[in-house]
Amino acid sequence: MTTVPGTTPYPWPWHGRFDPVRLALLAVACPHPADRGQVVDPGHPVEVLAGQVRGAGGLIISVRVRPPGWPPAPPAEAPPRRPDQVVHAAGWDGFHGSDLDSVLRAAGRDLLLLAGCCLELGVHSTMRAANDRGYECLLVEDACGSAAPDLRQGALSTIEMSGGIFGAVGSRSAVATLMERS
Amino acid sequence: MTTVPGTTPYPWPWHGRFDPVRLALLAVACPHPADRGQVVDPGHPVEVLAGQVRGAGGLIISVRVRPPGWPPAPPAEAPPRRPDQVVHAAGWDGFHGSDLDSVLRAAGRDLLLLAGCCLELGVHSTMRAANDRGYECLLVEDACGSAAPDLRQGALSTIEMSGGIFGAVGSRSAVATLMERS
Amino acid sequence: MTTVPGTTPYPWPWHGRFDPVRLALLAVACPHPADRGQVVDPGHPVEVLAGQVRGAGGLIISVRVRPPGWPPAPPAEAPPRRPDQVVHAAGWDGFHGSDLDSVLRAAGRDLLLLAGCCLELGVHSTMRAANDRGYECLLVEDACGSAAPDLRQGALSTIEMSGGIFGAVGSRSAVATLMERS
Amino acid sequence: MTTVPGTTPYPWPWHGRFDPVRLALLAVACPHPADRGQVVDPGHPVEVLAGQVRGAGGLIISVRVRPPGWPPAPPAEAPPRRPDQVVHAAGWDGFHGSDLDSVLRAAGRDLLLLAGCCLELGVHSTMRAANDRGYECLLVEDACGSAAPDLRQGALSTIEMSGGIFGAVGSRSAVATLMERS
């Protein structure tokens, strides 16, 4: 059994079979909906996380989401700077109108870390969709930015309902510990 | 302009072109995730709402969602009792692994009312997915049940972010007023 | 290496790792488009094939397809008689508007046998879609019925283009040999 | 009633309500599967068709398809040279893993002309998928290239089965006549 220590509400992944060759980081980036499309930047934490994940053999995917109907022009500056792959979605859900599912399947990655921005919008929609498709998901809480800080805790608690209904929640240091071990 | 009075954060629908022949009620039903699959029943309010919508010419669709991996066996007793159509999804999102999009398109329905249970789970996932697909959505707040009442307000506020990022929120009486007028 | 002898244009599966726990038979059934919905019945061959596949540990899925816009009312009498699972699609492609992908993933089945009716319509659309999703497919030629016999050979040759562009083609006896060996 | 004269097996579109603001040309382009990815170029005819369609108010979409598992690197030189939009798919079907459906919906285009290459592969898969989604399709025969000329007639006849099971087939001159009239 290899799991992340300290994740809630269960030690991630639930099946205890962590393996970095099955791991992908989804770094979600969205234009700020109320601010002319400027990227909401969660900043340094995503770069740090990407470095840890890449070092252990995980795949780094930049997932560019957007409000429905917005043009696909992507935020050039969205972290992390050098993803292995860039995926463009046609809505807040990174799987909608994109090849994200194809990319993950072809690469054999079914353990997903979620980070980026915005926690309540694109990250949440993408995590819900990933969970529906059978992916085992961990949201890395301190690598996510919020568009509405007062809704942040509710968004996290919703993931943790009923023993982890959409997956688990953890921190960068928890992930780092797991990466070092594996 | 025909819109629902009193919906937040904007008068629904945003384009002001309400027409009951374009309207569908998605009555979401899910098994209780922690309770052996028993249906979480929002009870009477969904029946009342369905009666109002049907009277005005709207289509009533029972959307049966479920935790990923659960068998499709549907809750027989999910309200409303006599939907025009029953759709079975393969996850919390009513569009995932179902013909919901096909049914709505074939029937020419792009104005959606969302109700049922659970607000934070299947109703939210289905509303997010509908919004990504370009449907104009109104969540009927007092026709939705909650699995976690303390997360209810956050779920509603998330919909209302940035001027209604996933649609609008209203009440059964607001809908009733609109139905009578049209 | 375990492959089916005599399949064209390559020994199936291409990776040589046949394993019945990864196998599913998709038995496609469609209403006859020109004949009031009566099922086009490929008859006995599908039952024979299903028996062989089940005996080896394969999963039997009845895939009910239909012309776009037709109601989902399924042909009750479509063979095989006792599938492990029934899937209803919203078009000629068995993956469209259905939970077929979810069912296969949850069951860990990525080696697919295709049979049923009609070869040029639902079987072909479903095989093309399965191939796009990364499934390794074998069409069992003498377990498929045709709506237009003069188009049958072209449909088979299209699968075999460029070294097997949509998969491979084989016979029931080839499959039987493989089942006995494994 | 406005329809294209001389299309088979029925005057397109079937409902007789042609309107260029509802029209889009899907110009499919694929790498040659057996030839290191070089684009199969149907050449001049696609440019001519695109000019006619654009002149009448139709939308020009370049649909880049590819064999499953191939990287998304698109053929830069695929005609037409200046599409209004470029869509990248994750398989032979232009709708699979792409935002094609979102683009068409957002633009209100439900009448589709199909052209490009290869008729038996990407064009056919995309037309089948479009038909399943309720789009009304016309394949422009003399603007399509073939990877296997001996399979070309069968591919066309399959579309025309049972009164036009996947849509209709016409020529550039038939389309030109319709464009001039409207």
Side-chain angles (χ1 to χ4, degrees):
Chain A
M1 293 279 293
T2 309
T3 56
V4 177
T7 57
T8 55
Y10 62 86
W12 187 87
W14 69 265
H15 47 56
R17 293 189 299 275
F18 177 76
D19 186 337
V21 304
R22 293 171 59 185
L23 184 68
L25 167 64
L26 305 188
V28 177
C30 68
H32 196 296
D35 191 25
R36 312 275 88 204
Q38 194 188 323
V39 183
V40 186
D41 191 351
H44 194 55
V46 170
E47 293 292 353
V48 173
L49 180 64
Q52 292 165 350
V53 171
R54 176 177 285 125
L59 191 74
I60 311 298
I61 304 180
S62 176
V63 180
R64 314 290 172 89
V65 304
R66 53 179 153 128
W70 283 44
E77 74 275 37
R81 266 161 299 173
R82 284 187 297 278
D84 297 308
Q85 198 112 16
V86 178
V87 161
H88 297 276
W92 292 111
D93 165 14
F95 287 88
H96 181 63
S98 86
D99 60 348
L100 180 52
D101 197 41
S102 290
V103 165
L104 292 171
R105 269 202 228 202
R109 310 277 165 162
D110 60 356
L111 303 176
L112 305 185
L113 303 179
L114 286 108
C117 207
C118 302
L119 173 53
E120 306 82 12
L121 302 176
V123 177
H124 226 268
S125 281
T126 303
M127 188 168 181
R128 286 169 178 257
N131 178 264
D132 272 356
R133 281 158 184 75
Y135 294 98
E136 169 64 356
C137 298
L138 177 68
L139 185 143
V140 187
E141 194 257 331
D142 53 2
C144 288
S146 281
D150 56 316
L151 299 177
R152 184 180 180 94
Q153 187 51 54
L156 296 174
S157 298
T158 302
I159 292 167
E160 298 171 340
M161 278 174 68
S162 296
I165 212 150
F166 296 125
V169 175
S171 64
R172 276 181 291 139
S173 70
V175 173
T177 303
L178 182 65
M179 298 295 115
E180 283 157 21
R181 268 201 225 145
S182 63
Chain B
M1 294 279 295
T2 310
T3 56
V4 178
T7 58
T8 55
Y10 62 86
W12 187 89
W14 67 265
H15 46 55
R17 295 189 299 275
F18 178 76
D19 186 339
V21 303
R22 293 171 58 184
L23 184 69
L25 167 65
L26 305 189
V28 177
C30 68
H32 197 296
D35 191 25
R36 314 274 87 206
Q38 193 187 324
V39 183
V40 186
D41 191 352
H44 194 54
V46 170
E47 294 290 354
V48 173
L49 180 63
Q52 293 165 349
V53 171
R54 176 177 284 123
L59 191 74
I60 311 298
I61 304 181
S62 176
V63 180
R64 313 289 172 90
V65 304
R66 52 178 153 126
W70 282 43
E77 74 276 36
R81 264 161 302 175
R82 284 186 299 278
D84 299 307
Q85 199 110 18
V86 178
V87 162
H88 297 276
W92 292 110
D93 165 14
F95 287 88
H96 181 64
S98 86
D99 60 348
L100 179 52
D101 196 42
S102 290
V103 164
L104 291 170
R105 269 202 226 202
R109 311 278 164 161
D110 59 357
L111 303 176
L112 305 184
L113 304 179
L114 286 109
C117 207
C118 304
L119 172 54
E120 306 82 10
L121 302 176
V123 177
H124 226 267
S125 281
T126 303
M127 187 166 183
R128 286 169 178 256
N131 178 264
D132 272 356
R133 282 159 183 74
Y135 293 99
E136 169 64 357
C137 299
L138 177 67
L139 185 143
V140 187
E141 193 258 332
D142 53 0
C144 288
S146 282
D150 56 316
L151 299 177
R152 184 183 181 92
Q153 187 51 53
L156 296 174
S157 299
T158 301
I159 292 167
E160 298 171 339
M161 279 174 68
S162 296
I165 211 148
F166 297 125
V169 175
S171 65
R172 275 181 291 139
S173 70
V175 172
T177 304
L178 182 65
M179 298 295 115
E180 283 157 20
R181 272 201 223 147
S182 62
Chain C
M1 294 279 294
T2 309
T3 56
V4 178
T7 57
T8 56
Y10 62 85
W12 187 88
W14 68 265
H15 47 55
R17 294 189 299 276
F18 178 76
D19 186 340
V21 304
R22 294 171 58 184
L23 184 69
L25 167 65
L26 305 188
V28 177
C30 67
H32 197 295
D35 191 24
R36 314 274 88 205
Q38 191 186 325
V39 183
V40 185
D41 190 351
H44 194 54
V46 170
E47 294 291 355
V48 173
L49 180 63
Q52 293 165 349
V53 171
R54 177 177 284 123
L59 191 74
I60 311 298
I61 305 181
S62 176
V63 180
R64 314 290 172 89
V65 304
R66 53 178 152 126
W70 283 43
E77 74 276 36
R81 267 161 299 175
R82 285 187 297 278
D84 298 307
Q85 199 111 19
V86 178
V87 162
H88 297 275
W92 292 110
D93 165 14
F95 287 87
H96 182 64
S98 86
D99 60 348
L100 179 52
D101 197 42
S102 290
V103 164
L104 292 171
R105 269 202 226 201
R109 310 278 165 161
D110 59 357
L111 303 176
L112 305 184
L113 304 179
L114 286 109
C117 207
C118 302
L119 172 54
E120 307 81 13
L121 302 177
V123 177
H124 226 269
S125 281
T126 303
M127 187 167 182
R128 285 169 178 257
N131 178 264
D132 272 356
R133 282 159 181 75
Y135 294 99
E136 169 65 358
C137 299
L138 178 67
L139 184 143
V140 187
E141 192 257 333
D142 54 0
C144 288
S146 282
D150 57 316
L151 299 177
R152 183 181 180 94
Q153 187 51 54
L156 296 174
S157 299
T158 301
I159 293 167
E160 298 171 340
M161 278 174 69
S162 295
I165 211 149
F166 296 125
V169 175
S171 65
R172 276 181 289 139
S173 70
V175 173
T177 303
L178 182 65
M179 298 295 116
E180 283 158 20
R181 270 201 224 146
S182 62
Chain D
M1 293 277 294
T2 309
T3 55
V4 177
T7 58
T8 56
Y10 63 85
W12 187 88
W14 68 265
H15 46 57
R17 294 188 300 274
F18 177 76
D19 186 339
V21 305
R22 293 171 57 184
L23 183 68
L25 167 64
L26 305 189
V28 177
C30 68
H32 196 296
D35 191 24
R36 314 273 88 204
Q38 193 187 324
V39 183
V40 186
D41 190 352
H44 193 56
V46 170
E47 293 291 353
V48 173
L49 180 63
Q52 293 165 350
V53 171
R54 176 178 285 125
L59 191 73
I60 311 297
I61 304 180
S62 176
V63 181
R64 315 289 173 88
V65 304
R66 52 178 153 127
W70 283 43
E77 73 275 37
R81 266 161 299 174
R82 285 187 296 278
D84 298 307
Q85 199 112 17
V86 178
V87 161
H88 296 276
W92 292 110
D93 165 14
F95 287 88
H96 180 63
S98 86
D99 60 349
L100 180 52
D101 197 41
S102 290
V103 165
L104 292 170
R105 270 202 225 202
R109 310 277 165 162
D110 60 356
L111 302 176
L112 305 185
L113 303 179
L114 286 109
C117 207
C118 303
L119 172 54
E120 306 82 11
L121 302 177
V123 177
H124 226 268
S125 281
T126 303
M127 188 168 181
R128 287 170 177 256
N131 178 263
D132 272 356
R133 282 158 182 76
Y135 293 98
E136 169 64 356
C137 298
L138 177 68
L139 184 143
V140 187
E141 193 257 332
D142 53 1
C144 288
S146 281
D150 56 315
L151 299 177
R152 184 179 180 94
Q153 187 51 54
L156 296 174
S157 298
T158 301
I159 292 167
E160 298 171 340
M161 279 174 67
S162 296
I165 212 150
F166 297 125
V169 175
S171 64
R172 277 180 290 140
S173 69
V175 173
T177 303
L178 182 64
M179 298 296 115
E180 282 157 22
R181 269 200 224 148
S182 64

